[in-house]
């Protein structure tokens, strides 16, 4: 439960939607790590979760992963000004894939600078669009070198989202980098068994004591209900 980023990023989300999300975030068996929403809902989430240890995260440059650095920085600033503590930024993965890797590094570095010491930057690679392990590894290295606090698999909006294979590659890059960087799996993780598979991969690559909310997250929405059902069972 404490590793979960409880997420709602529907196109039709309303204040009522995020009120319900926040109400679900503090469960009878523990709090989730964070709620993740659109930037326009950050201030409301902060108010709803006042007094809790649940972080408020929001997405930037989402979901398209465009190349406008100034807009991504402005959106990051909006999230922080509204009280958000975590920013889930989509790197310009399409531009990166056709060779414009500088724009991705520039955006990540600029948003990391905007976060300063007050917020964490989680960089979404969209690994389902990247093909093989070598490409995923290169994107992971670029994101880490540009300043990502976390690297994250996917937006949850692609045809292919989180996969165990991509997770292992990303975690191996984190391990080999020697950097203090976390990992987040997101997209299509709906059951306890699926979630535990990512935990086990992280423990296999990084060691048995590595997994914690500070270093490992799972972004999901329906997973919470599955975990609560397991607890009540």
């Amino acid at each position: 439960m404490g590793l979960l980023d409880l997420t709602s990023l529907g196109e039709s989300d309303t204040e009522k939607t995020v009120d319900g999300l926040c109400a679900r975030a503090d469960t009878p068996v523990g709090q989730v790590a964070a709620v993740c929403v659109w930037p326009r809902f950050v201030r409301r989430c902060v108010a709803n979760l006042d007094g809790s240890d649940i972080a408020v995260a929001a997405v930037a440059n989402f979901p398209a992963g465009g190349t406008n650095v100034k807009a991504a920085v402005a959106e990051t600033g909006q999230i922080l000004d509204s009280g958000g503590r975590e920013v889930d930024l989509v790197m310009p993965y399409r531009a990166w894939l056709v060779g414009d890797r500088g724009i991705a590094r520039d955006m990540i570095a600029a948003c990391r600078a905007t976060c300063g010491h007050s917020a964490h930057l989680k960089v979404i690679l969209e690994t389902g669009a990247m093909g093989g392990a070598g490409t995923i590894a290169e994107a992971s290295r670029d994101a880490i070198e540009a300043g990502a606090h976390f690297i994250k698999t996917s937006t949850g909006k692609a045809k292919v989202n989180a996969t165990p294979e991509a997770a292992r590659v990303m975690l191996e890059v984190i391990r080999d980098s020697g950097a203090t960087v976390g990992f987040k799996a997101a997209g299509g993780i709906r059951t306890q068994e699926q979630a535990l598979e990512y935990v086990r991969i992280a423990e296999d690559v990084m060691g048995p004591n590595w997994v914690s909310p500070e270093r490992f997250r799972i972004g999901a929405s329906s997973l919470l209900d599955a975990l609560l059902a397991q607890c009540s069972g």
Side-chain angles (χ1 to χ4, degrees), residues 28-44:
V29 292
Q31 297 179 344
V32 302
V35 296
C36 184
V37 295
W38 295 104
R40 64 183 180 273
F41 296 124
V42 169
R43 200 176 300 278
R44 191 169 186 91

Side-chain angles (χ1 to χ4, degrees), residues 4-17:
L4 181 61
D5 281 4
L6 184 60
T7 302
S8 186
L9 294 167
E11 297 297 332
S12 59
D13 282 3
T14 64
E15 290 185 348
K16 185 177 180 179
T17 306

Side-chain angles (χ1 to χ4, degrees), residues 144-159:
I144 291 169
E145 289 170 6
H149 291 106
F150 272 70
I151 51 176
K152 174 179 170 181
T153 57
S154 34
T155 60
K157 304 287 189 181
K159 290 182 179 179

Side-chain angles (χ1 to χ4, degrees), residues 74-141:
E75 202 164 24
T76 299
Q78 175 193 344
I79 293 166
L80 303 184
D81 291 344
S82 298
R85 289 161 47 191
E86 300 179 0
V87 177
D88 286 37
L89 171 77
V90 184
M91 69 176 274
Y93 64 93
R94 292 186 182 89
W96 187 92
L97 283 167
V98 296
D100 190 356
R101 300 190 174 184
I103 193 68
R105 289 191 291 265
D106 289 349
M107 181 179 291
I108 295 165
C111 291
R112 166 64 188 262
T114 303
C115 287
H117 299 293
S118 64
H120 280 163
L121 182 67
K122 295 180 282 191
V123 176
I124 303 169
L125 307 184
E126 202 66 284
T127 53
M130 292 192 165
T135 308
I136 294 170
E138 287 183 37
S140 299
R141 282 190 287 268

Side-chain angles (χ1 to χ4, degrees), residues 127-190:
T127 53
M130 292 192 165
T135 308
I136 294 170
E138 287 183 37
S140 299
R141 282 190 287 268
D142 275 4
I144 291 169
E145 289 170 6
H149 291 106
F150 272 70
I151 51 176
K152 174 179 170 181
T153 57
S154 34
T155 60
K157 304 287 189 181
K159 290 182 179 179
V160 178
N161 291 293
T163 65
E165 295 77 14
R168 182 171 292 276
V169 171
M170 293 167 69
L171 285 157
E172 287 172 349
V173 171
I174 291 171
R175 179 197 62 197
D176 295 346
S177 74
T180 305
V181 174
F183 167 80
K184 179 175 174 179
I189 304 169
R190 298 182 176 87

